[in-house]
């Protein structure tokens, strides 16, 4: 039995984009940021935090809102933030 937090809401509106295209958009945006931020002179720790926020926003927008089971998205974002914070504190 899962909690309502892990189930999509009644106002859920599924994305019209296929899953492969959502994934491609996510990686394209993240790779573009990864290579553009150093050129813009952003410090390394801030680069990691920006990438974490953008990746979380994309995961929320593309997968969290209407996912039939949100546990996978929750695990993905949790591991992403854990790895990002480890990276920031090891810089």
């Amino acid at each position: 039995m899962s909690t309502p937090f892990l189930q999509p809401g009644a106002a859920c509106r599924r994305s019209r984009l296929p899953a492969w295209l959502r994934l491609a958009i996510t990686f394209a945006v993240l790779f573009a940021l990864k290579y553009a931020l150093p050129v813009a002179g952003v410090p390394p720790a801030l680069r990691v935090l920006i990438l974490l926020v953008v990746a979380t926003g994309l995961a929320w927008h593309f997968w969290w809102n209407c996912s039939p089971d949100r546990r996978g998205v929750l695990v993905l974002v949790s591991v992403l933030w854990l790895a990002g914070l480890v990276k920031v504190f090891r810089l």
Side-chain angles (χ1 to χ4, degrees), residues 18-29 62-63:
W20 67 269
L21 185 55
R22 289 181 279 166
L23 194 61
I25 290 169
T26 299
F27 278 101
V29 168
F62 283 149
W63 289 282

Side-chain angles (χ1 to χ4, degrees), residues 3-51:
T3 65
F5 177 72
L6 296 174
Q7 298 301 319
C12 166
R13 199 178 80 205
R14 282 207 177 271
S15 174
R16 293 178 301 206
L17 301 175
W20 67 269
L21 185 55
R22 289 181 279 166
L23 194 61
I25 290 169
T26 299
F27 278 101
V29 168
L30 292 175
F31 277 120
L33 279 174
K34 180 184 181 333
Y35 291 109
L37 289 173
V39 173
V42 177
L46 186 56
R47 277 186 243 158
V48 173
L49 291 175
I50 290 170
L51 288 169

